[in-house]
Amino acid sequence: MSAPRTPRKVFGHLSLPERSYVADALRTETVGGVLLLLAAIAALAWSNIPTLHDSYESVTHFHFGPGALGLNLSVAHWAADGLLAIFFFVAGIELKRELVAGDLKDPKAAALPVVAALCGMAVPALVYTLTNIAGDGSLAGWAVPTATDIAFALAVLAVIGTSLPSALRAFLLTLAVVDDLFAILIIAVFFTETINFAALGGAVVGLAVFWLLLRKGVRGWYVYVPLGLVIWGLMYNSGVHATIAGVAMGLMLRCHVREGEQHSPGEHIEHLVRPLSAGLAVPLFALFSAGVSISGDALADVFTKPETLGVVLGLVIGKTFGIFGGTWLTARFTRASLSDDLAWADVFAVATLAGIGFTVSLLIGELAFEGDAVMTDEIKAAVLTGSVIAAALATVLLKLRNAKYRRMIEAEERDDDLSGVPDIYEEHDPEYHRRLAALYEKKAAEHRRIAEEKEALRLAEVPGGEGDEGDGPA
């Protein structure tokens, strides 16, 4: 008879290479998230202080660039179409890496984040649609609450001092990667009105040259950066959103390691570009996109207009129940069970945290209501409001479990044998136990030596020495 199959665990321990990659990626994203948070606060202050408001408008709408190439754009437009192309380039590399070396490589493991991300986008869209049908509002913004901002979510964790076990952080990161992929597809399919086929054909040719150079092993930023700019410019002029060029180039990079390589080219380039994306591109986009007028009447309008209310409810309720429901259904129908250290309350808290939709939500809001400046600002205010509510709820839920998370992280990072590798990855290795035995024997020998010295000192302090003849009574 065959041995009974062990039920698959979800949110179990990551492999050591995956754990290292996730730790490095999240460290950069956390720093970038804090900068993103500061940029959003700066934008709100800049646009709402009366003496500074006009300067914010002037800078945001200042145009520059070569008009002959169709690139005489405003600062805000450059930030949305140019800087976010860097963000989506990194997203493309992340997605490629997940497909060839990460969780998405294994169909069984990929089912969880993919289904969770799909449900986490479908349910917010449904919530928005139902809210606007009931309130006789515009359905144009259905895609606004579908995106999750991983950097902003990690910034919230950093600010409130709450840690998540590595498995939940990896789930959040993979979820955001899949989320970004579908957001890119939404932008490409639903927000492309007219297409300039000549420009699009030129962009495709440029991408083909980019791919060919990569396959030939050509190196040098001075080759790829100018080519990338040409591809981006052609994609922009084609009518397809220019950020698609970024993700397309990211997906073309090789992300598997060959013999003799410590890191793949994709991982190496991601390591170089991610700080630029998280530390500069995304915060600058936030600075020139999040500046909306905040007042009591404006906040009241967020909860009274169907379009803005749909965004808030989509982010706070739709995201939470979509991701949680997708995760629960996947575990239920694949007969998987949660890791022994976690409960479904932890998954619900992470799903609530994923309701923070900022960068891509702001971008889609601008695309959905392009030409309607008033509604665009109201949608931005709704995105900010929904993200703040989701962050507050997640803070409360995660704080309730924080003591348990700290114990789990301590267990994950424990290295009793001083090998530099956490014990959880070595506990079945005989060498690990030999190292532990040697350490314990060394400690035991040290304690015996200390005990012997103390005993010798005690005997030396006894008058005449214990047991000397002639010291007793006659």
Side-chain angles (χ1 to χ4, degrees):
M1 294 179 61
S2 60
R5 188 171 61 181
T6 303
R8 189 172 63 84
K9 296 285 186 182
V10 294
F11 305 116
H13 292 305
L14 305 175
S15 66
L16 186 57
E18 186 71 8
R19 183 179 185 272
S20 300
Y21 169 80
V22 168
D24 290 341
L26 293 178
R27 191 177 300 114
T28 305
E29 290 288 356
T30 301
V31 174
V34 173
L35 293 175
L36 174 62
L37 185 59
L38 294 175
I41 294 171
L44 291 172
W46 192 0
S47 62
N48 283 277
I49 296 175
T51 56
L52 299 176
H53 175 78
D54 289 343
S55 65
Y56 181 81
E57 291 294 319
S58 298
V59 172
T60 302
H61 295 102
F62 177 77
H63 281 65
F64 68 96
L69 299 178
L71 296 175
N72 184 26
L73 311 177
S74 67
V75 170
H77 212 157
W78 277 111
D81 287 272
L83 292 177
L84 281 194
I86 301 173
F87 167 79
F88 280 109
F89 175 70
V90 174
I93 300 175
E94 289 176 337
L95 177 61
K96 181 67 172 292
R97 186 201 164 275
E98 289 291 335
L99 288 170
V100 301
D103 286 345
L104 301 182
K105 181 180 179 180
D106 178 8
K108 291 183 179 179
L112 182 66
V114 170
V115 173
L118 282 173
C119 292
M121 299 184 83
V123 176
L126 180 62
V127 169
Y128 177 93
T129 301
L130 293 176
T131 303
N132 280 270
I133 289 175
D136 196 25
S138 171
L139 299 180
W142 65 269
V144 175
T146 60
T148 293
D149 195 314
I150 181 66
F152 214 128
L154 293 172
V156 170
L157 291 178
V159 170
I160 66 177
T162 299
S163 298
L164 281 178
S166 58
L168 286 178
R169 285 178 174 257
F171 171 69
L172 191 60
L173 181 62
T174 307
L175 182 77
V177 171
V178 180
D179 193 289
D180 287 340
L181 168 64
F182 289 114
I184 291 162
L185 293 176
I186 286 173
I187 291 170
V189 174
F190 295 99
F191 296 103
T192 300
E193 296 179 358
T194 59
I195 296 179
N196 181 329
F197 286 100
L200 182 60
V204 171
V205 171
L207 288 171
V209 173
F210 187 88
W211 179 84
L212 186 62
L213 292 174
L214 289 173
R215 291 301 170 272
K216 294 294 184 180
V218 176
R219 297 187 178 186
W221 65 268
Y222 46 84
V223 174
Y224 292 102
V225 171
L227 178 58
L229 291 174
V230 170
I231 294 170
W232 175 87
L234 288 168
M235 189 69 75
Y236 175 82
N237 281 286
S238 73
V240 178
H241 200 270
T243 54
I244 305 301
V247 74
M249 287 185 281
L251 285 169
M252 289 182 180
L253 293 174
R254 177 169 60 83
C255 290
H256 61 272
V257 179
R258 290 177 178 171
E259 188 176 351
E261 291 182 339
Q262 187 173 3
H263 300 288
S264 68
E267 288 177 305
H268 176 67
I269 293 173
E270 181 188 4
H271 180 73
L272 295 175
V273 179
R274 184 188 286 275
L276 177 63
S277 169
L280 181 66
V282 175
L284 281 178
F285 167 76
L287 181 64
F288 296 113
S289 295
V292 295
S293 297
I294 300 296
S295 64
D297 292 338
L299 291 176
D301 287 344
V302 167
F303 296 98
T304 55
K305 292 188 175 181
E307 294 88 353
T308 51
L309 180 60
V311 170
V312 173
L313 294 179
L315 289 172
V316 177
I317 296 175
K319 270 288 182 184
T320 301
F321 286 94
I323 291 172
F324 178 80
T327 305
W328 185 85
L329 287 172
T330 303
R332 173 73 176 80
F333 286 104
T334 59
R335 297 183 180 179
S337 61
L338 277 179
S339 172
D340 295 335
D341 297 323
L342 295 173
W344 283 108
D346 301 307
V347 181
F348 189 84
V350 170
T352 305
L353 188 66
I356 300 174
F358 190 74
T359 306
V360 181
S361 289
L362 291 177
L363 174 62
I364 293 177
E366 292 180 355
L367 296 173
F369 295 98
E370 190 174 8
D372 188 344
V374 174
M375 181 57 72
T376 298
D377 281 350
E378 290 176 346
I379 290 295
K380 288 181 180 180
V383 170
L384 293 171
T385 302
S387 298
V388 168
I389 294 173
L393 290 175
T395 297
V396 173
L397 295 174
L398 292 171
K399 278 292 187 183
L400 293 174
R401 306 280 291 176
N402 200 36
K404 182 171 185 176
Y405 294 154
R406 281 200 300 268
R407 291 194 296 270
M408 290 178 66
I409 289 175
E410 288 172 2
E412 287 179 1
E413 296 179 350
R414 190 171 180 177
D415 184 18
D416 287 342
D417 66 334
L418 306 178
S419 66
V421 177
D423 293 342
I424 57 174
Y425 297 101
E426 297 184 309
E427 52 192 14
H428 299 298
D429 183 359
E431 288 299 323
Y432 162 75
H433 294 285
R434 289 194 186 97
R435 286 193 296 269
L436 274 185
L439 285 172
Y440 289 149
E441 179 57 35
K442 184 178 180 180
K443 289 180 181 179
E446 180 66 15
H447 286 305
R448 283 195 296 269
R449 183 187 64 79
I450 293 172
E452 289 169 359
E453 289 178 354
K454 287 183 177 180
E455 179 66 13
L457 183 62
R458 186 185 68 81
L459 292 176
E461 290 175 350
V462 175
E466 185 180 276
D468 287 349
E469 292 183 5
D471 288 341

